[in-house]
Amino acid sequence: MIISEVKGNIRDEKAMQSHIERVYLRSDELVKRIQRVKTDHGNELGIRLSKPKDLVDGDILYRTDDNMIVVSVMEDEVIAIRPTSIKQMGEVAHMLGNRHLPAQFEGEEMIIQHDYLVVQLLTELNVPHTIEKRKMKEAFKYIGHDHE
């Protein structure tokens, strides 16, 4: 079976009486328009999205009256950075920006993918941070950039 469009998101569904099969993806796989996957029931499918769209946790790839195939994002190992001042946040953002590391923000936290060199830097600078496993809502995306 080839999936060419997302049929909605399970969070938007009112009452779900359907059986649910899950496709487990890493967050970096959410940006791939073409890929071959396998459900937790062993069914293989191809994903070839006709319109450019990043997948998100809970996307419904297939639906019948009694069955759904839903994207489930696996947890990433991330660094949750919690600067204590706007100055510290600016310094951290500048240093991480120079490394071209993609970041996401939730509340007062800056979240990046785990990198032992960043952990070492944050520890040396006494910036509050934790290493956690989190289910990210979207993929970490690199922003195209060159130094010309």
Side-chain angles (χ1 to χ4, degrees), residues 1-7 23 25 29 32-39 42-50 55 60-62 69 71:
M1 173 182 349
I2 303 292
I3 306 299
S4 61
E5 66 178 340
V6 173
K7 307 289 186 193
V23 171
L25 298 176
E29 294 172 317
K32 294 181 180 179
R33 284 185 48 218
I34 300 172
Q35 57 186 310
R36 179 167 295 283
V37 298
K38 190 179 276 192
T39 71
N43 297 314
E44 286 193 28
L45 8 139
I47 299 174
R48 185 176 56 218
L49 299 178
S50 55
L55 295 170
I60 301 168
L61 301 176
Y62 174 80
I69 299 177
V71 171

Short mmCIF file of all heavy atoms in Angstrom, two decimals, residues 1-7 23 25 29 32-39 42-50 55 60-62 69 71:
data_model
loop_
_atom_site.label_atom_id
_atom_site.label_comp_id
_atom_site.label_asym_id
_atom_site.label_seq_id
_atom_site.Cartn_x
_atom_site.Cartn_y
_atom_site.Cartn_z
N MET A 1 0.84 -1.17 0.00
CA MET A 1 0.00 0.00 0.00
C MET A 1 0.89 1.24 0.00
O MET A 1 1.88 1.31 0.72
CB MET A 1 -0.88 -0.04 1.26
CG MET A 1 -1.68 1.20 1.47
SD MET A 1 -2.72 1.30 2.97
CE MET A 1 -2.74 -0.31 3.66
N ILE A 2 0.53 2.23 -0.81
CA ILE A 2 1.26 3.49 -0.89
C ILE A 2 0.37 4.58 -0.29
O ILE A 2 -0.77 4.77 -0.69
CB ILE A 2 1.61 3.87 -2.35
CG1 ILE A 2 2.41 2.77 -3.04
CG2 ILE A 2 2.34 5.21 -2.39
CD1 ILE A 2 3.80 2.57 -2.49
N ILE A 3 0.93 5.32 0.67
CA ILE A 3 0.22 6.43 1.31
C ILE A 3 0.65 7.72 0.62
O ILE A 3 1.84 8.03 0.57
CB ILE A 3 0.58 6.51 2.82
CG1 ILE A 3 0.34 5.18 3.53
CG2 ILE A 3 -0.14 7.67 3.48
CD1 ILE A 3 -1.08 4.69 3.51
N SER A 4 -0.31 8.48 0.07
CA SER A 4 0.04 9.71 -0.63
C SER A 4 -0.44 10.96 0.08
O SER A 4 -0.08 12.06 -0.30
CB SER A 4 -0.53 9.68 -2.06
OG SER A 4 -1.94 9.58 -2.01
N GLU A 5 -1.28 10.78 1.13
CA GLU A 5 -1.73 11.95 1.89
C GLU A 5 -2.08 11.55 3.31
O GLU A 5 -2.41 10.41 3.60
CB GLU A 5 -2.94 12.60 1.22
CG GLU A 5 -4.18 11.74 1.23
CD GLU A 5 -5.38 12.44 0.60
OE1 GLU A 5 -5.39 13.67 0.50
OE2 GLU A 5 -6.31 11.72 0.22
N VAL A 6 -1.98 12.53 4.20
CA VAL A 6 -2.35 12.34 5.59
C VAL A 6 -3.85 12.55 5.71
O VAL A 6 -4.40 13.50 5.16
CB VAL A 6 -1.57 13.33 6.49
CG1 VAL A 6 -2.05 13.27 7.92
CG2 VAL A 6 -0.08 13.05 6.41
N LYS A 7 -4.52 11.66 6.43
CA LYS A 7 -5.99 11.68 6.53
C LYS A 7 -6.50 12.46 7.74
O LYS A 7 -7.67 12.41 8.06
CB LYS A 7 -6.53 10.24 6.63
CG LYS A 7 -6.06 9.33 5.55
CD LYS A 7 -6.68 9.68 4.24
CE LYS A 7 -6.30 8.64 3.20
NZ LYS A 7 -6.60 9.04 1.87
N VAL A 23 2.88 3.26 13.31
CA VAL A 23 4.15 3.31 12.59
C VAL A 23 5.06 4.16 13.47
O VAL A 23 4.78 5.34 13.68
CB VAL A 23 3.99 3.96 11.20
CG1 VAL A 23 5.35 4.21 10.57
CG2 VAL A 23 3.12 3.11 10.31
N LEU A 25 8.28 6.23 14.18
CA LEU A 25 9.30 6.96 13.43
C LEU A 25 10.17 7.77 14.38
O LEU A 25 9.68 8.28 15.39
CB LEU A 25 8.65 7.92 12.43
CG LEU A 25 7.79 7.32 11.34
CD1 LEU A 25 7.15 8.42 10.50
CD2 LEU A 25 8.59 6.38 10.45
N GLU A 29 12.86 11.31 10.79
CA GLU A 29 12.16 10.67 9.68
C GLU A 29 10.85 11.39 9.33
O GLU A 29 10.25 11.13 8.30
CB GLU A 29 11.87 9.20 10.00
CG GLU A 29 13.12 8.37 10.11
CD GLU A 29 12.87 6.96 10.61
OE1 GLU A 29 12.08 6.78 11.56
OE2 GLU A 29 13.48 6.04 10.03
N LYS A 32 10.82 13.23 5.87
CA LYS A 32 10.99 12.47 4.63
C LYS A 32 9.65 12.30 3.93
O LYS A 32 8.71 11.76 4.51
CB LYS A 32 11.59 11.09 4.91
CG LYS A 32 12.99 11.12 5.45
CD LYS A 32 13.48 9.71 5.68
CE LYS A 32 14.88 9.67 6.22
NZ LYS A 32 15.32 8.29 6.46
N ARG A 33 9.56 12.74 2.68
CA ARG A 33 8.31 12.60 1.92
C ARG A 33 8.16 11.20 1.35
O ARG A 33 7.05 10.76 1.07
CB ARG A 33 8.27 13.61 0.78
CG ARG A 33 7.96 15.01 1.24
CD ARG A 33 7.80 15.99 0.11
NE ARG A 33 6.94 15.49 -0.94
CZ ARG A 33 7.15 15.69 -2.24
NH1 ARG A 33 8.18 16.39 -2.63
NH2 ARG A 33 6.32 15.22 -3.14
N ILE A 34 9.28 10.51 1.13
CA ILE A 34 9.25 9.17 0.55
C ILE A 34 10.01 8.23 1.48
O ILE A 34 11.19 8.47 1.77
CB ILE A 34 9.87 9.14 -0.85
CG1 ILE A 34 9.11 10.09 -1.78
CG2 ILE A 34 9.89 7.73 -1.41
CD1 ILE A 34 9.76 10.29 -3.14
N GLN A 35 9.33 7.18 1.94
CA GLN A 35 9.99 6.19 2.78
C GLN A 35 9.16 4.91 2.86
O GLN A 35 7.96 4.92 2.59
CB GLN A 35 10.27 6.74 4.17
CG GLN A 35 9.08 7.25 4.94
CD GLN A 35 9.49 7.91 6.24
OE1 GLN A 35 10.25 7.33 7.02
NE2 GLN A 35 9.00 9.11 6.49
N ARG A 36 9.81 3.82 3.21
CA ARG A 36 9.14 2.55 3.41
C ARG A 36 9.14 2.30 4.92
O ARG A 36 10.17 2.43 5.57
CB ARG A 36 9.88 1.43 2.68
CG ARG A 36 9.24 0.07 2.88
CD ARG A 36 9.78 -0.96 1.93
NE ARG A 36 9.48 -0.68 0.54
CZ ARG A 36 8.31 -0.86 -0.06
NH1 ARG A 36 7.29 -1.29 0.63
NH2 ARG A 36 8.14 -0.61 -1.34
N VAL A 37 7.97 1.94 5.45
CA VAL A 37 7.82 1.73 6.89
C VAL A 37 7.07 0.44 7.15
O VAL A 37 6.48 -0.15 6.25
CB VAL A 37 7.08 2.93 7.55
CG1 VAL A 37 7.86 4.22 7.39
CG2 VAL A 37 5.67 3.08 6.99
N LYS A 38 7.09 0.03 8.42
CA LYS A 38 6.37 -1.17 8.83
C LYS A 38 5.58 -0.83 10.10
O LYS A 38 6.09 -0.16 10.99
CB LYS A 38 7.36 -2.30 9.13
CG LYS A 38 6.71 -3.66 9.34
CD LYS A 38 7.74 -4.74 9.61
CE LYS A 38 8.26 -5.25 8.29
NZ LYS A 38 9.04 -6.48 8.45
N THR A 39 4.34 -1.30 10.16
CA THR A 39 3.51 -1.03 11.34
C THR A 39 3.90 -1.98 12.47
O THR A 39 4.62 -2.96 12.25
CB THR A 39 2.01 -1.22 11.04
OG1 THR A 39 1.73 -2.61 10.87
CG2 THR A 39 1.58 -0.44 9.82
N GLY A 42 3.32 -5.50 11.66
CA GLY A 42 4.10 -6.13 10.61
C GLY A 42 3.68 -5.81 9.19
O GLY A 42 4.22 -6.37 8.24
N ASN A 43 2.73 -4.92 9.01
CA ASN A 43 2.30 -4.53 7.67
C ASN A 43 3.25 -3.48 7.09
O ASN A 43 3.55 -2.50 7.76
CB ASN A 43 0.87 -3.98 7.69
CG ASN A 43 -0.13 -5.03 8.14
OD1 ASN A 43 -0.08 -6.17 7.67
ND2 ASN A 43 -1.02 -4.66 9.04
N GLU A 44 3.69 -3.71 5.86
CA GLU A 44 4.59 -2.76 5.21
C GLU A 44 3.79 -1.78 4.38
O GLU A 44 2.80 -2.13 3.75
CB GLU A 44 5.57 -3.51 4.30
CG GLU A 44 6.64 -4.23 5.08
CD GLU A 44 7.78 -4.70 4.19
OE1 GLU A 44 8.04 -4.07 3.15
OE2 GLU A 44 8.41 -5.69 4.57
N LEU A 45 4.23 -0.52 4.41
CA LEU A 45 3.64 0.49 3.56
C LEU A 45 4.71 1.41 3.03
O LEU A 45 5.75 1.59 3.64
CB LEU A 45 2.57 1.35 4.25
CG LEU A 45 2.26 1.33 5.68
CD1 LEU A 45 2.03 2.73 6.20
CD2 LEU A 45 0.91 0.64 5.74
N GLY A 46 4.39 2.02 1.93
CA GLY A 46 5.25 3.06 1.39
C GLY A 46 4.57 4.40 1.64
O GLY A 46 3.35 4.51 1.53
N ILE A 47 5.37 5.37 1.99
CA ILE A 47 4.85 6.73 2.14
C ILE A 47 5.47 7.55 1.03
O ILE A 47 6.69 7.61 0.90
CB ILE A 47 5.20 7.33 3.52
CG1 ILE A 47 4.58 6.49 4.65
CG2 ILE A 47 4.74 8.78 3.61
CD1 ILE A 47 5.00 6.92 6.04
N ARG A 48 4.61 8.14 0.20
CA ARG A 48 5.06 9.03 -0.87
C ARG A 48 4.04 10.17 -0.90
O ARG A 48 3.05 10.11 -1.63
CB ARG A 48 5.14 8.30 -2.20
CG ARG A 48 5.71 9.20 -3.30
CD ARG A 48 5.90 8.49 -4.61
NE ARG A 48 4.65 7.89 -5.06
CZ ARG A 48 4.55 6.71 -5.68
NH1 ARG A 48 5.62 5.99 -5.90
NH2 ARG A 48 3.39 6.26 -6.07
N LEU A 49 4.28 11.16 -0.08
CA LEU A 49 3.33 12.26 0.06
C LEU A 49 3.31 13.11 -1.20
O LEU A 49 4.36 13.53 -1.68
CB LEU A 49 3.65 13.11 1.28
CG LEU A 49 3.61 12.36 2.63
CD1 LEU A 49 4.00 13.29 3.76
CD2 LEU A 49 2.24 11.76 2.88
N SER A 50 2.11 13.36 -1.72
CA SER A 50 1.99 14.13 -2.96
C SER A 50 2.25 15.62 -2.74
O SER A 50 2.68 16.31 -3.65
CB SER A 50 0.61 13.93 -3.57
OG SER A 50 -0.40 14.24 -2.64
N LEU A 55 5.47 15.08 8.58
CA LEU A 55 4.58 14.30 9.42
C LEU A 55 4.70 14.77 10.86
O LEU A 55 5.74 15.30 11.26
CB LEU A 55 4.94 12.81 9.32
CG LEU A 55 4.74 12.17 7.95
CD1 LEU A 55 5.37 10.79 7.92
CD2 LEU A 55 3.27 12.11 7.59
N ILE A 60 -2.75 10.44 10.84
CA ILE A 60 -3.43 9.23 10.37
C ILE A 60 -3.03 9.01 8.91
O ILE A 60 -3.30 9.84 8.05
CB ILE A 60 -4.95 9.38 10.50
CG1 ILE A 60 -5.34 9.62 11.96
CG2 ILE A 60 -5.66 8.13 9.95
CD1 ILE A 60 -6.78 10.07 12.16
N LEU A 61 -2.37 7.87 8.66
CA LEU A 61 -1.91 7.55 7.31
C LEU A 61 -2.95 6.77 6.52
O LEU A 61 -3.00 6.84 5.30
CB LEU A 61 -0.61 6.75 7.38
CG LEU A 61 0.57 7.43 8.09
CD1 LEU A 61 1.76 6.48 8.16
CD2 LEU A 61 0.94 8.72 7.39
N TYR A 62 -3.77 6.01 7.24
CA TYR A 62 -4.76 5.14 6.59
C TYR A 62 -5.92 4.99 7.54
O TYR A 62 -5.73 4.91 8.76
CB TYR A 62 -4.11 3.78 6.30
CG TYR A 62 -5.05 2.74 5.76
CD1 TYR A 62 -5.42 2.74 4.42
CD2 TYR A 62 -5.57 1.76 6.59
CE1 TYR A 62 -6.27 1.77 3.92
CE2 TYR A 62 -6.43 0.78 6.09
CZ TYR A 62 -6.78 0.79 4.76
OH TYR A 62 -7.62 -0.16 4.27
N ILE A 69 -4.08 3.52 10.72
CA ILE A 69 -2.63 3.44 10.85
C ILE A 69 -2.16 4.85 11.20
O ILE A 69 -2.43 5.80 10.46
CB ILE A 69 -1.96 2.93 9.57
CG1 ILE A 69 -2.46 1.51 9.26
CG2 ILE A 69 -0.44 2.95 9.72
CD1 ILE A 69 -1.92 0.93 7.96
N VAL A 71 0.89 7.57 12.89
CA VAL A 71 2.31 7.85 13.16
C VAL A 71 2.50 8.06 14.65
O VAL A 71 1.75 8.80 15.29
CB VAL A 71 2.77 9.13 12.41
CG1 VAL A 71 4.16 9.56 12.86
CG2 VAL A 71 2.73 8.92 10.91
#
